[in-house]
Amino acid sequence: MSSAGFNSQNGTGQTYANGPSQNPVAMQQLPGVSYGMTHQPTYNPMQAKAPMPPGPGLYPSGPYQPAPSVNSYQSGPPPTSYPAAPGQPLLTRPPMGIASSHTPPQSASPSPGPRLPPAQGTPPPPAVSSSSYYPNPQQQQQQHHQQQPPVAPAWQYNTAPPPMGPTTSSMSAPPRGPVANHVNPAASLTPQPPPSSAPYSSALPAPVSQSATQPPGPGMAPPTSLHGYIQPGTAPLPMNPMTPHTYQPSRAPYGPPPTGLPPTMKPAPPPTGPPMANATPPPPPKADGTVAGNGPQPSNSYNHVDNKMAGPPQPGPPGRHLGHYPSLPPGYQQSSAPPNATSPMHPAMQAATQPYSQGPQQYQQPPGGPGPAQLSPSLAAMSLQSSTPEALRVVNLLQERNLLPPTPVPAPIPPLPQDLQKINCHPEVFRSTLTSIPQTQSLLNKAKMPLGLLLHPFKDLSQLPVVTSSTIVRCRSCRTYINPFVSFLDQRRWKCNLCYRVNDVPEEFMYNPVSRSYGEPHKRPEVQNATIEFIAPSEYMLRPPQPAVYLFVLDVSHNAVETGYLNVFCQSLLDNINALPGDSRTKVGFITFDSTIHFYNLQEGLSQPQMLIVSDIEDIFLPTPDSLLVNLNECKELVQDLLKSLPTLFEKTMETQSALGSALQAAFKLLSPTGGRLSVFQTQLPNLGVGALQSREDPNQRASAKDIQHLSPATDFYKKLALDCSGQQVAVDLFLLSAQYCDLASLGCISRYSAGSVYYFPSYHHQHNPAQVERFQKELKRYITRKIGFEAVMRIRCTKGLSIHTFHGNFFVRSTDLLSLPNVNPDAGFAVQMSIEENLDDMQVVSFQAALLYTSSKGERRIRVHTLCLPVVNSLSDIFAGADVQAISGLLACMAVDRSVTASLSDARDAMTNAAIDSLMSYRQSVLTIQQPGLLVPACLRLFPLFILALLKQKAFRTGTSTRLDDRVFAMCQLKYQPLTYSMLMIHPALYRIDDLTDEGALNINDRTIPQPQLLQLSVEKLSRDGAFLMDAGMVMYLWIGRNCNPNFLMQVLGVPNYAAVPENLYMLPELDTAESQRNRAFIGWLREQRPFYPTLHVIRDESQLKASFMQNMIEDRTESALSYYEFLLHIQQQISK
């Protein structure tokens, strides 16, 4: 009998930490096996076609004038069809900050037309230009790998280049070839449609052309329904035979594949209870089928690319001209919002109240099908019988005005069998931009949508199953952790869902600690939960788990003392010192700095803290290495004395200089032996010693500059130091509290490459900016007390045939698929881009697994594993039906941040616009069967142009508006670092009318009633002078009071008699004993609870200075420098119809 134990740990209870250290067992791969990799050229959604129109403000009046074309189109050969000239890079990146040239070098001879490589049926790549979106994976490696030799970046998109030799590394995968007969869950759990039920448009991939009017290729069957869509609940016939002798508990053996027509299938009811609502897992899924899998990536899949792999440069497609827009948008048809399968609660709230309990919902068809306005008369009758899913309902964006749903948009649900869907990973933890994965890279290229994953791996969870076991069951070949999507061939053998290897079930795994039964391995908690945490045995440790170590580095220059932040910091740490995550080994230390470095001896036995000053900042040393980091429990009184005296110690200082670089070097020396967390508080530009910076911002250029300079670091000092920190398991968190330029583009590197976080409090002052002081207090408390993991590593594995090539977030890439995270915190998000390297023909589903190995603050080595399962489809309509518009927007935002830094901001803006144009053009050409005027999109992408326009107007990417450089860089940091739930509010804020809140439809949480007002479109036309409107923009909230606002609201919520009496700098709602006050405070408080940071609230009137910031978030309206939503739609339509 085994001693395995099982317990469920509530994520909101005791805090514990996670940490990185690569261990030999967790990370090792079996040597000797490899597989050939066939590469599809990949589509890059962000090609430079036409720059965005400069905006109405640049034209005197009247209709727009056409813009000159950017470049001429030449179709080029595939990337590998020409040899590289010796020593000459073939594809070179444009210089940073300079508009890229579209003229090919003299050596590139034009090709008469697209050519296919002789032995492959793969289409040629799209024309490459400087605004092609997917950045070269190599650049990502160059950003993170200090040791890598510089090579000219080759612009390749969405895929890793072929290996540079035979793949004999230890991270290869099993050979590709016929896989042993296996059962497919998607095939076995759903009836098979007749072969003619859907066109297989990818039978023979046709060459991808940039022509706007490409006829269907010979391999595309004519569509047999309106969209050629396979109904949910059905699946194509399996590509390989199913074995009739598969072990399945409590189920009859499978027979041979069906040959006749399938039986009719009723939609399965959604599950009624949350799968992980208590410690006992739900009933077991029938995870008896298997899926094709992916072995580990070859170690040289993209790490050692050299520029010989790239093809010759090719000019981009023709420039797209701006047409003549009407000076005023014609009236929209005032149609009501489309029916939406929306959730009644805020998405973040769903996670807080229950695990992911939505089962697979059948797509709903609007009554009567699409209206006659969208169909030609001959097809109108057919549409009444066709089973078009709601996601593919055709929407004409130029006619339907009110497209924003009244409640937050939920994540789409993958069309999986119900028993698989019920146990799939929650979308707030793990979601894909496409919930249906294309079968081939050429099909993905044709859809022209980015494929990637968004991940929130260490999210606070209310229910997290924790397993203690001496044996963690993993695939012997690819090291995948056993999960709900593996298949059991019998009681003693299971088949990996990533690489297909058959593994033995260990004896210990036969015992189920939950039911205390023997012989049912498929009912173990590891096979019942897509998110699970293991307490790891000793082989997962390279060294004994480190203690929790916290070092605080504080700016005490005159500027810092003036802001008053030191009082708030010391008081907050005093109040929460007992809540610091840790155990009896926890250590703390303090360093302060101005033009010199001050250490504090806190050794046990001293009567008071001892300050030690080192003035030689050029050659920093530790004065008493053993007594600067002390055990918190043993020296708590000395620590408290220091915190009480620090604010007064420097209150009279006149020292204005800042030697931040030297202070960081000292902190690194102090933390190197153990690792830990380094918290830096800085209030000005470092101007002394190593790492000194100079102001690079010209305020006069903020609004007028055509392109934004200085988005990249001014020095590599902070990046190099961050990489050193990462190697010693030290993460650096930066708190920037400043009213002046601090060069966040340079300072932010210290956090980015060490897996830290950046906090930015612009114009912080303890008297002049009380709203920022409140935010600093709240966020500092969360920072001090939240869960933390030390010495962590994270690896993302995926089914064989898929590959990951670019990561986004704060980390260091230690090897091709291993992220080094010296600290991991519950508020950090990550994103990855993927490509399809081998056709997924014989697979019904694919899986992705993220494994995070860390050390908790209690000194336990733990592994948190998330597994996501998605279906594989072979038609474009299915791909479009599964598009997750929020995840796509979030991934494009990450890619655009990279593009802004490596190329230029205008490049990134063009690329985002082209992403929308390309995907909607692909839909129109390849999926739509009716060609009619208007901008026709599938319902699932109806918000895509709106989100892209929102990104173009977001602080990170906007032009023509005065934006401080640090504000812009911080907005970019947030887009790359924040989990999707939070970053979407920063991209497209939420607007509510709150002067008429009622309890109708309200939520009841812990005896509180939370009103649920409807979301409004971000347009001034939705405001009225007799109302009050709340805008939630993620990091900040604005409460706009109309001039004729109801006096009852003013009195009962704000406590003022009339509009004129509303204070100028009101940043909190008074606590009044009225029903209206309680409703408004409950609603705003509930919104704030949804996120780990604390948004400030500003009550504004028409005369307020902040009104301009409020109005800039009205995304659908025209501004001096940006198009309105309607004008943007016309621009997109014009590009598509060329």
Side-chain angles (χ1 to χ4, degrees):
M1 226 31 142
S2 149
S3 60
F6 172 83
N7 67 299
S8 174
Q9 170 156 337
N10 190 318
T12 57
Q14 271 188 318
T15 53
Y16 56 86
N18 52 4
S21 105
Q22 182 178 4
N23 72 75
V25 176
M27 309 308 164
Q28 93 184 36
Q29 309 291 342
L30 286 184
V33 284
S34 64
Y35 60 93
M37 294 167 30
T38 56
H39 287 275
Q40 292 278 1
T42 38
Y43 162 66
N44 68 26
M46 302 205 153
Q47 288 188 1
K49 290 158 184 162
M52 269 294 297
L58 307 179
Y59 295 96
S61 64
Y64 289 104
Q65 303 302 316
S69 70
V70 188
N71 47 25
S72 58
Y73 176 62
Q74 277 180 307
S75 142
T80 52
S81 55
Y82 289 123
Q88 177 181 356
L90 291 180
L91 284 174
T92 55
R93 190 186 64 192
M96 287 188 193
I98 300 172
S100 51
S101 160
H102 295 277
T103 310
Q106 297 300 316
S107 61
S109 56
S111 155
R115 294 189 304 165
L116 288 177
Q120 298 179 17
T122 55
V128 176
S129 78
S130 66
S131 287
S132 312
Y133 205 160
Y134 294 124
N136 179 11
Q138 174 145 353
Q139 290 176 3
Q140 186 76 7
Q141 295 304 309
Q142 282 181 322
Q143 290 172 14
H144 292 292
H145 281 280
Q146 185 183 8
Q147 302 86 354
Q148 184 157 328
V151 287
W155 289 93
Q156 298 186 359
Y157 315 99
N158 219 14
T159 185
M164 303 298 295
T167 46
T168 57
S169 77
S170 63
M171 296 173 61
S172 316
R176 183 142 173 92
V179 180
N181 286 347
H182 63 281
V183 182
N184 247 310
S188 60
L189 298 173
T190 54
Q192 313 299 329
S196 62
S197 68
Y200 285 79
S201 57
S202 61
L204 283 171
V208 177
S209 159
Q210 291 295 335
S211 158
T213 56
Q214 174 176 338
M220 296 168 61
T224 54
S225 72
L226 185 63
H227 297 284
Y229 181 76
I230 301 175
Q231 294 186 35
T234 66
L237 287 164
M239 305 298 284
N240 51 347
M242 303 194 308
T243 170
H245 303 295
T246 302
Y247 165 73
Q248 286 191 334
S250 69
R251 186 185 283 195
Y254 285 103
T259 53
L261 291 174
T264 56
M265 182 171 183
K266 296 179 181 176
T272 55
M276 295 197 297
N278 50 39
T280 307
K286 298 181 176 64
D288 35 52
T290 115
V291 297
N294 172 23
Q297 317 298 321
S299 65
N300 54 0
S301 60
Y302 63 80
N303 220 8
H304 309 291
V305 168
D306 111 345
N307 52 8
K308 294 177 186 169
M309 304 306 295
Q314 305 166 15
R320 297 175 173 178
H321 297 273
L322 293 176
H324 293 272
Y325 292 152
S327 53
L328 285 173
Y332 292 102
Q333 296 180 1
Q334 294 292 332
S335 58
S336 61
N340 290 296
T342 53
S343 149
M345 39 174 31
H346 198 284
M349 196 58 224
Q350 292 176 344
T353 54
Q354 71 201 39
Y356 187 46
S357 59
Q358 298 165 294
Q361 299 170 357
Q362 295 294 320
Y363 290 111
Q364 298 169 359
Q365 178 173 336
Q374 289 146 343
L375 299 177
S376 61
S378 62
L379 286 165
M382 184 193 304
S383 75
L384 298 177
Q385 288 89 38
S386 75
S387 56
T388 306
E390 164 61 21
L392 285 179
R393 180 175 58 85
V394 181
V395 176
N396 186 344
L397 292 183
L398 295 178
Q399 288 183 352
E400 296 200 30
R401 178 74 176 95
N402 298 309
L403 285 171
L404 194 69
T407 55
V409 183
I413 296 172
L416 285 168
Q418 185 173 347
D419 56 350
L420 292 183
Q421 182 55 62
K422 193 165 55 178
I423 52 175
N424 217 350
C425 202
H426 193 291
E428 285 198 357
V429 173
F430 212 162
R431 69 199 274 185
S432 170
T433 55
L434 303 177
T435 55
S436 296
I437 304 297
Q439 204 171 65
T440 64
Q441 181 67 45
S442 59
L443 196 59
L444 176 61
N445 292 347
K446 199 168 182 183
K448 301 195 173 179
M449 287 190 289
L451 177 59
L453 301 170
L454 288 93
L455 187 58
H456 189 176
F458 203 51
K459 176 180 167 63
D460 285 323
L461 300 172
S462 56
Q463 295 292 334
L464 175 65
V466 179
V467 174
T468 306
S469 173
S470 59
T471 305
I472 295 179
V473 181
R474 302 176 66 181
C475 174
R476 290 178 58 196
S477 175
C478 68
R479 307 299 294 153
T480 294
Y481 293 82
I482 197 166
N483 62 78
F485 309 106
V486 305
S487 55
F488 284 88
L489 305 182
D490 52 43
Q491 280 189 321
R492 297 287 178 179
R493 293 180 305 154
W494 63 278
K495 182 179 281 188
C496 175
N497 55 323
L498 265 63
C499 73
Y500 280 163
R501 180 185 175 115
V502 175
N503 296 273
D504 295 331
V505 176
E507 183 66 31
E508 182 181 353
F509 203 74
M510 299 294 288
Y511 174 72
N512 184 353
V514 180
S515 63
R516 301 193 176 180
S517 58
Y518 186 81
E520 295 180 315
H522 60 283
K523 292 185 179 178
R524 289 266 306 195
E526 298 93 320
V527 192
Q528 295 292 319
N529 297 286
T531 290
I532 195 160
E533 186 150 286
F534 300 95
I535 295 180
S538 57
E539 60 257 34
Y540 287 81
M541 307 172 194
L542 283 180
R543 61 176 186 177
Q546 72 166 69
V549 182
Y550 305 103
L551 179 60
F552 299 94
V553 178
L554 307 164
D555 179 358
V556 292
S557 62
H558 177 72
N559 194 63
V561 173
E562 277 295 294
T563 66
Y565 92 89
L566 211 50
N567 293 343
V568 177
F569 166 78
C570 291
Q571 191 56 51
S572 187
L573 190 50
L574 277 169
D575 293 344
N576 298 290
I577 196 160
N578 292 323
L580 261 178
D583 56 13
S584 59
R585 303 181 301 156
T586 302
K587 292 184 172 185
V588 295
F590 298 87
I591 293 175
T592 56
F593 67 96
D594 40 37
S595 62
T596 58
I597 314 298
H598 323 130
F599 298 90
Y600 295 88
N601 183 349
L602 300 167
Q603 196 167 16
E604 193 179 11
L606 291 175
S607 59
Q608 62 182 35
Q610 192 177 45
M611 182 175 172
L612 308 164
I613 300 177
V614 175
S615 54
D616 183 4
I617 60 171
E618 296 301 325
D619 185 17
I620 200 73
F621 65 94
L622 302 179
T624 56
D626 299 333
S627 57
L628 303 178
L629 273 179
V630 296
N631 185 293
L632 178 60
N633 290 335
E634 295 169 2
C635 307
K636 189 173 289 181
E637 287 185 10
L638 279 175
V639 170
Q640 289 170 329
D641 289 347
L642 176 64
L643 291 172
K644 289 171 186 171
S645 61
L646 264 183
T648 56
L649 206 55
F650 298 96
E651 61 186 358
K652 303 242 182 333
T653 183
M654 299 308 291
E655 187 66 69
T656 58
Q657 291 182 303
S658 171
L660 173 66
S662 302
L664 288 172
Q665 286 180 330
F668 171 65
K669 288 189 175 188
L670 193 51
L671 281 178
S672 287
T674 57
R677 183 175 76 186
L678 173 53
S679 310
V680 184
F681 295 78
Q682 175 74 3
T683 65
Q684 67 184 64
L685 199 66
N687 54 14
L688 192 65
V690 291
L693 299 169
Q694 295 177 334
S695 178
R696 299 189 288 167
E697 184 178 46
D698 180 359
N700 299 322
Q701 295 294 313
R702 280 183 193 161
S704 59
K706 199 170 176 190
D707 228 326
I708 308 298
Q709 306 296 319
H710 309 309
L711 293 174
S712 52
T715 171
D716 63 357
F717 169 80
Y718 294 98
K719 177 180 176 180
K720 284 181 174 176
L721 185 56
L723 296 180
D724 290 341
C725 286
S726 179
Q728 298 299 321
Q729 307 298 358
V730 175
V732 185
D733 295 321
L734 176 64
F735 288 77
L736 204 53
L737 310 102
S738 174
Q740 60 199 26
Y741 174 69
C742 277
D743 198 353
L744 185 54
S746 299
L747 295 183
C749 292
I750 191 72
S751 297
R752 178 179 174 190
Y753 295 102
S754 68
S757 6
V758 174
Y759 295 82
Y760 178 51
F761 301 88
S763 307
Y764 183 90
H765 194 277
H766 66 112
Q767 288 177 332
H768 306 322
N769 198 341
Q772 286 284 29
V773 174
E774 183 190 28
R775 183 182 147 225
F776 180 49
Q777 287 172 323
K778 302 279 188 184
E779 296 201 7
L780 191 56
K781 179 179 179 180
R782 162 80 180 167
Y783 174 77
I784 291 169
T785 59
R786 73 184 177 189
K787 189 174 55 184
I788 183 172
F790 297 98
E791 47 186 353
V793 284
M794 182 168 71
R795 177 170 264 135
I796 301 174
R797 296 177 171 88
C798 48
T799 291
K800 184 163 69 79
L802 295 166
S803 74
I804 291 167
H805 63 78
T806 306
F807 296 87
H808 301 277
N810 291 359
F811 49 78
F812 168 64
V813 180
R814 190 182 288 177
S815 65
T816 53
D817 62 346
L818 187 72
L819 303 186
S820 172
L821 305 168
N823 290 179
V824 62
N825 72 72
D827 306 333
F830 301 88
V832 297
Q833 291 166 240
M834 292 190 304
S835 57
I836 302 167
E837 292 198 330
E838 299 180 20
N839 292 355
L840 309 174
D841 297 337
D842 53 349
M843 306 177 193
Q844 298 290 333
V845 291
V846 289
S847 297
F848 310 90
Q849 187 174 85
L852 178 72
L853 173 68
Y854 70 94
T855 299
S856 78
S857 57
K858 307 289 186 194
E860 285 182 320
R861 204 78 175 123
R862 291 185 170 224
I863 310 162
R864 187 172 298 189
V865 179
H866 308 283
T867 312
L868 174 69
C869 179
L870 295 175
V872 176
V873 297
N874 62 0
S875 74
L876 273 177
S877 55
D878 289 339
I879 298 171
F880 278 99
D884 182 339
V885 68
Q886 294 185 91
I888 290 171
S889 304
L891 184 63
L892 288 177
C894 291
M895 295 160 66
V897 170
D898 284 353
R899 173 61 66 86
S900 302
V901 176
T902 57
S904 68
L905 188 71
S906 58
D907 239 19
R909 289 171 55 84
D910 293 348
M912 285 189 288
T913 308
N914 292 334
I917 293 169
D918 289 341
S919 56
L920 297 184
M921 183 187 287
S922 169
Y923 170 77
R924 185 183 186 106
Q925 291 174 359
S926 305
V927 179
L928 261 187
T929 52
I930 319 143
Q931 298 299 332
Q932 68 175 49
L935 183 54
L936 305 181
V937 302
C940 59
L941 288 180
R942 67 190 184 282
L943 299 178
F944 193 26
L946 179 64
F947 288 162
I948 292 294
L949 180 64
L951 277 168
L952 294 174
K953 295 187 176 186
Q954 217 263 354
K955 199 175 284 186
F957 305 114
R958 68 188 182 196
T959 55
T961 304
S962 182
T963 305
R964 289 174 51 177
L965 191 54
D966 280 346
D967 290 355
R968 185 185 298 276
V969 171
F970 181 65
M972 290 182 169
C973 292
Q974 293 290 91
L975 288 176
K976 286 206 51 152
Y977 176 78
Q978 288 290 352
L980 182 66
T981 311
Y982 315 131
S983 63
M984 278 312 298
L985 274 176
M986 299 171 194
I987 294 170
H988 187 277
L991 181 66
Y992 309 92
R993 180 166 184 163
I994 63 166
D995 60 303
D996 54 359
L997 291 182
T998 66
D999 290 343
E1000 186 181 346
L1003 298 176
N1004 287 301
I1005 301 171
N1006 299 335
D1007 299 328
R1008 287 188 308 160
T1009 301
I1010 315 292
Q1012 296 293 293
Q1014 288 200 346
L1015 284 167
L1016 302 175
Q1017 288 166 273
L1018 293 171
S1019 172
V1020 174
E1021 73 179 51
K1022 295 299 178 184
L1023 302 179
S1024 64
R1025 291 193 178 279
D1026 59 355
F1029 295 82
L1030 179 74
M1031 178 184 287
D1032 179 4
M1035 300 289 292
V1036 62
M1037 294 180 178
Y1038 301 100
L1039 175 51
W1040 182 82
I1041 308 294
R1043 190 176 291 280
N1044 304 324
C1045 186
N1046 187 332
N1048 282 341
F1049 174 82
L1050 296 175
M1051 179 60 78
Q1052 296 181 359
V1053 176
L1054 299 180
V1056 296
N1058 53 48
Y1059 175 82
V1062 176
E1064 179 65 32
N1065 288 321
L1066 187 60
Y1067 66 94
M1068 57 174 24
L1069 297 184
E1071 292 192 24
L1072 304 177
D1073 192 16
T1074 64
E1076 287 80 0
S1077 172
Q1078 287 171 356
R1079 278 196 199 102
N1080 278 276
R1081 284 185 290 112
F1083 179 59
I1084 291 173
W1086 174 75
L1087 288 176
R1088 281 173 161 160
E1089 289 165 8
Q1090 309 286 314
R1091 63 206 78 172
F1093 44 86
Y1094 187 82
T1096 52
L1097 173 68
H1098 298 284
V1099 180
I1100 57 174
R1101 306 182 301 174
D1102 269 350
E1103 305 81 19
S1104 300
Q1105 288 182 340
L1106 287 169
K1107 187 189 175 188
S1109 302
F1110 174 75
M1111 290 302 176
Q1112 275 172 352
N1113 284 323
M1114 290 296 180
I1115 287 156
E1116 299 195 18
D1117 295 336
R1118 181 179 188 166
T1119 64
E1120 284 186 9
S1121 57
L1123 300 181
S1124 71
Y1125 177 52
Y1126 187 80
E1127 291 167 330
F1128 185 64
L1129 292 178
L1130 288 174
H1131 171 65
I1132 290 180
Q1133 182 201 18
Q1134 194 175 40
Q1135 303 306 326
I1136 289 175
S1137 56
K1138 279 188 174 177

